[in-house]
Amino acid sequence: MADIAGKPVGSGHARIPLLGFGTAVFPFTASETMKESILHAIKLGYRHIDAAAIYNSEPPVGEAIAEALGLGLIKSRAELFITSKLWCTDAHPDLVLPALRRTLKNLGLEYLDLYLIHFPVSLKPGSCEVPFEEKDLLPLDFKSVWEAMEECQSLGLSKLIGVSNFSCKKLQDLLVTAKISPAVNQVEMNPLWQQKKLREFCNGKGIHVTAYSPLGGRGTLWGTNRVLDCKVLQEIAQAKGKTVAQICLRWALEQDVSILVKSFNKERIEENLEILDWKLSPEESQKIDDIEQQRGFLAPMFVSEHGPYKSLEDFWDGEL
């Protein structure tokens, strides 16, 4: 079993595993394949499972955890680090706690290790689904929604709370009134979108960064092969006798972040673990550092002339 126990996050003694298993598959539908893949990942040593209300992945994650316990793959639920996310339709002060209770029921758990605000935007309350209509876009009440998240932690329903897809400015806005700082900001990060400014900001505020789409989001609506087709990464991989995916994951690991990888292919699930017993050379790291940068996930669905964000610049605060 791989040693991916992780690093301390938040003000307590919680540790977030360095390598996590993602469950976002579009279209967002639960499946037996998903459950079996999660179970296989746990068997191999993955201990962080990342779910979200919008992914419809909470029930299969819960089933996989129950089966892992039944099979003796883990001795207790405490061995796992389970993350889920508050969808935008529930990003309203009075809906946060009910949404988390629903998530826990879906998972069959008494608590989460980490609960995240999925995006810095709200939607008109209603069914949890995408796509949604532009007219349903609403501004997020940072202060009140975060107070409800803090209540979730105070009640012990989530050990840690955090955010996802937040820019430096939006984090700063949140921190102005927060009594509990976000433990984590989960964001897109890979060699072609390295998030240097955001990581520096988060590091200065004691906020841990978790990287999603470390291979470029292939298989998502917005993802491309830009990362895996990058010539610099291909050359490093060939010289090192590794796959491009392994180079990307090792690079991210060396940036002192935790990583979420998503694959339902058993060989690749195992291959993604094989990044712990070797390092990139300073020259290789510099070559990656010099790669031209471009955000992959632009989130245009949250931009509308009638909504709170009129442009992509607005939504990302210029971090493009």
Side-chain angles (χ1 to χ4, degrees), residues 19 23 42 72 93 98 129-130 138 149 154 156 187 202 285 290 300 310:
L19 202 57
T23 61
I42 292 172
E129 60 187 19
V130 288
L138 299 168
M149 293 288 287
S154 299
V187 295
C202 288
S285 295
D290 292 339
K310 316 298 183 193

Side-chain angles (χ1 to χ4, degrees), residues 247-262:
I247 297 299
C248 291
L249 298 178
R250 181 66 212 183
W251 170 82
L253 205 61
E254 292 181 10
Q255 308 312 303
D256 203 28
V257 304
S258 52
I259 318 160
L260 297 174
V261 290
K262 195 279 301 175

Side-chain angles (χ1 to χ4, degrees), residues 86 90 92-106 115 148 151-152 155 157:
L86 175 79
D90 289 316
H92 302 273
D94 59 327
L95 298 181
V96 174
L97 193 53
L100 176 51
R101 291 192 190 282
R102 201 160 52 243
T103 277
L104 291 173
K105 184 178 179 182
N106 286 339
Y115 196 41
E151 184 185 5
C152 292
L155 291 171
L157 298 178

Side-chain angles (χ1 to χ4, degrees), residues 56-69:
N56 289 314
S57 63
E58 292 168 344
V61 169
E63 290 166 15
I65 293 169
E67 202 163 318
L69 284 164

